[in-house]
Amino acid sequence: MMRLARLALIMASTLTLASTALAQQEMTVEEITNQISTLESDFENFSGTVNQLQQEERELRDKLQNLRERNNELEQKRESTLAEMNDRYQRLVEDPTIDIAGAQEAYKQAVMAHQQNKEDIKQQVSLVNQKSKEVEEARVSKHSLINEIETLKEQRNIARIDRLEDEFNRTGDLEVSQSISCDRNETLGQCENRGKLMAKQKASKQYLDEILASLSESSLVSENLEKASPNVQILGSKTISNGFSGAGNYGVKLAVELRGQLPQSQACTLLGVDMRYCAAEQRPGNIETAQEDTVDSSVMHPLTIRSNVYDDEVIIDGVSYGSTPIEVMLPGGEHEVEILKYGYSAYAEKIRLKDAMSIRAELEKSEYSFTRGEKIQDILYRDVRGPELVVVPAGKFKMGDLAGNGLPNERPAETREIPSALGITDTEITVKHFRNFVEDTAYVTDAEKQGTCAILKNGRPEFNEKLSWKNPGYKQSDNSPVVCVSYNDAKAYADWLTTKSGFKYSVPTEAEWEYAARAGTETDFWWGNDVGFGKANCRNCGSDWSNQRPAPVASFHRNPWGLFDTVGNVWEWAQTDNGVVVKGGAWNFTPSLARVSTKMELPADFNSNYIGFRVVRAQ
């Protein structure tokens, strides 16, 4: 009974707390959370009490089962003592000297024990029934307590929504300064109006950011922000100072009064709770309007714009806002949005802004053909540009040993065709180019992973685990050709250019490389069959870098199609049908190996401080 009393006390206290929570609609989120924590703690204690009652019930039932089993034993003993006493009575008739007192006493004790066990069973059944009732009552009470806890959680979600609305839909003041350059085609009045509008946009964005940062559940709201459309209303503005400079610039400082506006339905979205908490009934002060088509131009809405290209230009209502991705605050109403990039078809759309809005523009490449000698340089991201390429035309050429000075793998010569014009880097890929790739992707080269950058020592390659593209064993600059890179590394770089630019880049095939290096000639070098003196960087070729290290790219003359360093400097990776090769010779190899048709077959993961690469791009 003491345990029941404690149980009753727990139930009374928890139900009182829950009832109080439901009655107090103005409790804060923190207060409700504390109530829930208290009830959950009591629930844990309560669960222990229920478990203990169930254990006691099991013990009582086990004892009842033992008593029933004992009852059978006592019944058998009573019957056996009765039979013994009857037997002695029969024998007493024939023999009066027989003593029956012992048999009578044994029977008496058996009957008394049997009757007592029946009483014990009756009492034990009563105890079991009583305990079962306690357990059942406890289970019902436990379920009731769970319901009270869940009801409080419902109340907490409503309180969270109320709190978010109170925190968001507040009024505040900001001072902002804005300076713009007046366009030649706009009047001073138009320039002034544009400057004030941009100041209001800045104030709206700043105020929205401040509200979001100050919210009690700012981290959660930030995760769900893209799914909702909170906005800011400009209640009024006052010019503190403004004026034009002699250079045609206009500056303005505004004091702006603003109010955050969060539709109640979007409070649920931002908090990640079920929409039923927001869709029930419209509460007093709810800012949602019954007329969906009504647009308030004093309300500033966020507009997010993204596109599938880099280094584009976003123009809204004739004003340039820079490159995507961007997010701006614009007044409700109609706006004209344009997204431009050279070489792509323009994106243009007239939008009606009445809520937060996102635009994902897909710009398509314009139809145009490469022109021989045209220079190309793609924008990769932010202010990072890809390597400069020069266009080589489509055509046929004779590939292989044409002068009779070649190695067996250069024969027989054959006619090959390059079916389409392509862009090829006019120099070998430089250290700076490769660093941009590594910094953007955290790429690790084969040499860095395996410690296998090779150097040429006494005419034989020797691996040096300390060398890599960052430190090839000699002094280099940003404009040096990158080395200690394998074909695998070169391909990874080309794939990265493809991803960043949206155009297809690759390591050149052997035919593409030799076609571009020959530049329409049929001699061992693009200037003739003799290497000459000081025309390229190879062993004993008469340059300042010969047999010392690679020269900075573009240190020698271009070939007729605009390519540098197709002779000497560093070997360059190329693809074949059967694997990969290197072409063009290097600073520490003899001139005879710098001929246009020379090639060395190597494994794709081989790398050394005398092998680099260039890339090609399809139009």
Side-chain angles (χ1 to χ4, degrees), residues 55-68:
Q55 178 61 31
E56 291 174 359
E57 181 189 10
R58 286 191 293 270
E59 292 174 357
L60 289 172
R61 288 187 181 278
D62 290 343
K63 187 174 181 181
L64 176 60
Q65 180 64 28
N66 292 335
L67 287 172
R68 284 172 171 162

Side-chain angles (χ1 to χ4, degrees), residues 123-391:
Q123 184 179 1
Q124 193 67 23
V125 168
S126 177
L127 290 175
V128 168
N129 291 339
Q130 182 180 347
K131 188 62 66 176
S132 295
K133 185 177 180 181
E134 290 179 25
V135 170
E136 190 60 32
E137 290 175 352
R139 284 174 174 167
V140 172
S141 299
K142 183 178 178 182
H143 295 160
S144 177
L145 182 55
I146 292 174
N147 185 53
E148 298 297 340
I149 291 173
E150 293 304 312
T151 301
L152 270 178
K153 290 180 179 179
E154 296 270 311
Q155 187 69 21
R156 179 171 60 182
N157 280 337
I158 295 173
R160 289 171 65 205
I161 292 165
D162 290 340
R163 179 179 67 182
L164 179 61
E165 290 177 338
D166 290 341
E167 291 176 342
F168 203 99
N169 300 334
R170 61 181 175 86
T171 302
D173 298 291
L174 279 179
E175 289 187 3
V176 292
S177 297
Q178 179 69 45
S179 178
I180 64 170
S181 297
C182 298
D183 292 338
R184 294 179 180 179
N185 297 327
E186 65 181 347
T187 66
L188 294 180
Q190 290 173 330
C191 184
E192 181 179 1
N193 290 335
R194 181 163 64 88
K196 290 180 178 179
L197 173 60
M198 295 184 73
K200 292 177 182 178
Q201 291 175 346
K202 179 188 288 188
S204 301
K205 180 65 168 64
Q206 183 177 333
Y207 191 66
L208 180 60
D209 290 343
E210 289 180 2
I211 289 177
L212 293 172
S214 67
L215 296 175
S216 298
E217 299 186 63
S218 59
S219 297
L220 178 60
V221 169
S222 178
E223 292 176 8
N224 296 319
L225 191 57
E226 289 189 0
K227 305 174 186 176
S229 55
N231 51 56
V232 173
Q233 182 179 19
I234 296 179
L235 302 178
S237 63
K238 181 180 179 181
T239 302
I240 299 174
S241 63
N242 69 330
F244 292 90
S245 70
N249 294 328
Y250 172 73
V252 62
K253 185 176 183 180
L254 289 183
V256 187
E257 184 182 7
L258 308 105
R259 181 177 64 200
Q261 292 199 151
L262 179 67
Q264 184 182 350
S265 61
Q266 296 192 10
C268 285
T269 300
L270 290 177
L271 294 179
V273 300
D274 196 290
M275 291 300 295
R276 62 190 173 86
Y277 294 107
C278 296
E281 59 180 352
Q282 299 301 323
R283 303 177 184 180
N286 182 18
I287 62 171
E288 291 183 280
T289 176
Q291 297 181 351
E292 294 185 359
D293 290 335
T294 301
V295 178
D296 188 348
S297 61
S298 70
V299 178
M300 306 292 284
H301 301 280
L303 174 64
T304 303
I305 302 176
R306 296 180 174 87
S307 81
N308 61 321
V309 299
Y310 299 94
D311 199 39
D312 50 14
E313 182 180 15
V314 177
I315 299 174
I316 304 175
D317 300 330
V319 178
S320 176
Y321 283 81
S323 300
T324 58
I326 64 167
E327 181 178 321
V328 296
M329 300 292 293
L330 295 174
E334 292 188 348
H335 300 277
E336 292 184 356
V337 177
E338 292 181 280
I339 306 174
L340 309 174
K341 180 173 180 176
Y342 176 75
Y344 287 80
S345 57
Y347 173 92
E349 182 181 4
K350 181 176 287 187
I351 64 171
R352 192 163 187 265
L353 194 62
K354 59 181 180 180
D355 212 336
M357 185 174 183
S358 294
I359 293 176
R360 169 68 183 184
E362 294 290 333
L363 275 63
E364 297 182 356
K365 298 175 186 176
S366 300
E367 293 295 332
Y368 75 97
S369 299
F370 279 162
T371 303
R372 173 177 166 176
E374 177 186 358
K375 298 293 180 62
I376 306 167
Q377 190 174 33
D378 292 320
I379 301 295
L380 304 183
Y381 57 94
R382 297 190 299 275
D383 58 346
V384 175
R385 295 176 178 268
E388 189 171 288
L389 305 103
V390 62
V391 172

